Amino acid sequence: MENFPVINLESLNGEGRKATMEKIKDACENWGFFELVSHGIPTEFLDTVERLTKEHYRQCLEQKFKELVASKGLEAVQTEVKDMDWESTFYLRHLPQSNISQVPDLKDEYRNVMKEFALKLEKLAEQLLDLLCENLGLEQGYLKKAFYGTNGPTFGTKVSNYPPCPNNDKIKGLRAHTDAGGLILLFQDDKVSGLQLLKDGEWVDVPPMRHSLVINLGDQLEVITNGKYKSVEHRVIAQTDGTRMSIASFYNPSSDAVIYPAPTLVEKNAEEKNQVYPKFVFEDYMKHYVGVKFQAKEPRFEAMKAVEVKTSFGLGPVKTTA
């Protein structure tokens, strides 16, 4: 198995730019994931994010998780658990409007740091989207515009901890799935592993690297690129020792954004061969996704085809009630 792709973003500044862009292109086409280093977010700041996140878990969430496990008898299960995950989570919304001030039990320092982290990640996400545009031959800003809708992109963070699991052969930290949205930026634990992606029919570990960010592509980028780039199935294996921290931030389309393949990326005769991805409103996709997240993505795309009317590219969608 070839090495997991690691991209040094600083290499874009200078003679290494062409090779780095090619590496990003290959990662998007063949992995759906890559690990980003020298990304511009200071290592000292990431250390602070990690310290405060782990403190918050120990002080506010760890005991609640233990009580949940005990109440459901999860430590003694004898058969595979398929309807829940071994994770402790909470969510932060940044765009179009932040909810950080309303999330309970966060210390002021933690709130302020996560606000700042979100701003840094938002800027990085938009930089990465433009790099994808460059590789795809799309005009700069195309992907951000495709996500924009009426109110701009939606952006939020899922903060997770995966505690030690005595039955990790019976219950996943997080069941296998693809991400519904656009671009995902993950700051993960550098000591406790667990994230895996499916490549060529095999589960591959995403290596923990200190101060790196793991980038992966969501379903909407697969649609916009008409399958040139793919969202990739991934999962989390809870470990028997150590609690794994995961801070995943999702740069997604606006709820009313109309998502469809970029016309320049649709090959000639693709429509006749039924090889064109559907056109739909992102909110409709999300409503469907919620109930089938842990199932194959292809039926989701087919379901969206059932509620669209074929129109020539560039025109607004005309919805039906199929």
Side-chain angles (χ1 to χ4, degrees), residues 264-299:
T264 58
L265 299 180
V266 178
E267 296 179 6
K268 290 179 180 177
N269 303 322
E271 286 191 73
E272 287 84 347
K273 297 176 183 177
N274 196 29
Q275 293 174 344
V276 179
Y277 280 69
K279 175 186 281 189
F280 52 82
V281 176
F282 179 59
E283 183 176 28
D284 292 339
Y285 187 86
M286 287 304 299
K287 286 177 180 176
H288 181 71
Y289 175 86
V290 168
V292 295
K293 174 179 178 178
F294 299 110
Q295 299 174 26
K297 65 184 174 182
E298 290 79 11

Side-chain angles (χ1 to χ4, degrees), residues 182-203:
L183 192 72
I184 298 85
L185 304 92
L186 169 69
F187 178 40
Q188 68 168 345
D189 205 292
D190 67 305
K191 296 181 179 64
V192 182
S193 63
L195 178 61
Q196 297 180 330
L197 64 88
L198 190 64
K199 179 167 171 55
D200 301 327
E202 295 182 15
W203 288 105

Side-chain angles (χ1 to χ4, degrees), residues 35-296:
E35 203 140 6
L36 206 59
V37 298
S38 300
H39 41 62
I41 300 179
T43 56
E44 300 84 3
F45 182 79
L46 291 174
D47 288 340
T48 300
V49 171
E50 181 174 358
R51 174 178 60 81
L52 293 173
T53 299
K54 290 182 174 180
E55 280 180 9
H56 176 72
Y57 174 71
R58 286 193 300 270
Q59 294 169 5
C60 302
L61 299 173
E62 187 172 28
Q63 185 57 37
K64 291 178 183 177
F65 184 78
K66 289 178 179 177
E67 292 170 1
L68 174 67
V69 167
S71 70
K72 295 186 176 294
L74 293 178
E75 288 187 333
V77 292
Q78 300 298 313
T79 57
E80 185 178 0
V81 177
K82 297 182 178 180
D83 61 351
M84 65 181 300
D85 304 300
W86 188 273
E87 63 173 356
S88 170
T89 64
F90 67 95
Y91 297 86
L92 302 172
R93 187 175 67 248
H94 313 302
L95 295 174
Q97 289 184 313
S98 172
N99 73 340
I100 291 183
S101 61
Q102 286 89 49
V103 177
D105 300 327
L106 301 184
K107 292 181 177 178
D108 287 344
E109 181 188 11
Y110 192 28
R111 285 185 209 277
N112 292 333
V113 163
M114 292 306 281
K115 282 181 184 177
E116 187 177 350
F117 193 29
L119 290 172
K120 293 179 186 298
L121 289 172
E122 179 189 350
K123 182 179 178 182
L124 179 59
E126 292 175 355
Q127 179 186 355
L128 290 171
L129 286 176
D130 272 345
L131 293 175
L132 267 56
C133 285
E134 185 176 336
N135 271 336
L136 290 162
L138 299 171
E139 63 179 333
Q140 292 294 290
Y142 182 95
L143 290 172
K144 181 179 178 181
K145 186 178 178 182
F147 283 15
Y148 205 82
T150 303
N151 299 311
T154 55
F155 188 43
T157 298
K158 177 187 176 187
V159 182
S160 305
N161 283 274
Y162 298 91
C165 180
N167 272 329
N168 65 355
D169 59 331
K170 299 290 192 299
I171 182 169
K172 297 289 187 295
L174 181 59
R175 287 161 286 166
H177 64 288
T178 65
D179 290 323
L183 192 72
I184 298 85
L185 304 92
L186 169 69
F187 178 40
Q188 68 168 345
D189 205 292
D190 67 305
K191 296 181 179 64
V192 182
S193 63
L195 178 61
Q196 297 180 330
L197 64 88
L198 190 64
K199 179 167 171 55
D200 301 327
E202 295 182 15
W203 288 105
V204 178
D205 290 328
V206 177
M209 288 178 59
R210 188 155 175 76
H211 299 136
S212 72
L213 295 172
V214 177
I215 310 300
N216 73 284
L217 311 182
D219 293 349
Q220 306 313 302
L221 286 175
E222 179 167 338
V223 172
I224 293 171
T225 65
N226 203 47
K228 188 174 181 67
Y229 293 170
K230 294 282 199 302
S231 61
V232 170
E233 201 171 343
H234 53 285
R235 68 183 185 183
V236 175
I237 302 297
Q239 304 299 305
T240 53
D241 294 308
T243 296
R244 175 179 175 267
M245 178 199 75
S246 164
I247 305 174
S249 296
F250 299 81
Y251 189 97
N252 290 346
S254 168
S255 60
D256 67 351
V258 179
I259 303 300
Y260 58 91
T264 58
L265 299 180
V266 178
E267 296 179 6
K268 290 179 180 177
N269 303 322
E271 286 191 73
E272 287 84 347
K273 297 176 183 177
N274 196 29
Q275 293 174 344
V276 179
Y277 280 69
K279 175 186 281 189
F280 52 82
V281 176
F282 179 59
E283 183 176 28
D284 292 339
Y285 187 86
M286 287 304 299
K287 286 177 180 176
H288 181 71
Y289 175 86
V290 168
V292 295
K293 174 179 178 178
F294 299 110
Q295 299 174 26

